[in-house]
Amino acid sequence: MIFCIGAITGSKLLSARCYNEPHFMKLAGLLLLPSGCFIALSAIVLLAGSPAQTAFVLAGCAVEILGLGLVVRSHLSARGNSR
């Protein structure tokens, strides 16, 4: 289950434990991977020859590494829960 919906009667729409589940971390990581790629590619195309190009490409790479870390961590977490 990707999205965890809390009780309708509660004040929170999403339950707090939803964010700790491996599925949520995997979804966030899989969304961050292409986002970082698009940031880096758009910086290369739009900021050609600009000093800001390097900063945006590095930021895009950092977002990709963050997404990869979340995917790996969620995979290890799901594997640990099954043991």
Side-chain angles (χ1 to χ4, degrees), residues 39-60:
I39 290 171
L41 289 177
S42 63
I44 290 171
V45 171
L46 296 174
L47 300 173
S50 173
Q53 180 184 20
T54 306
F56 275 96
V57 169
L58 289 176

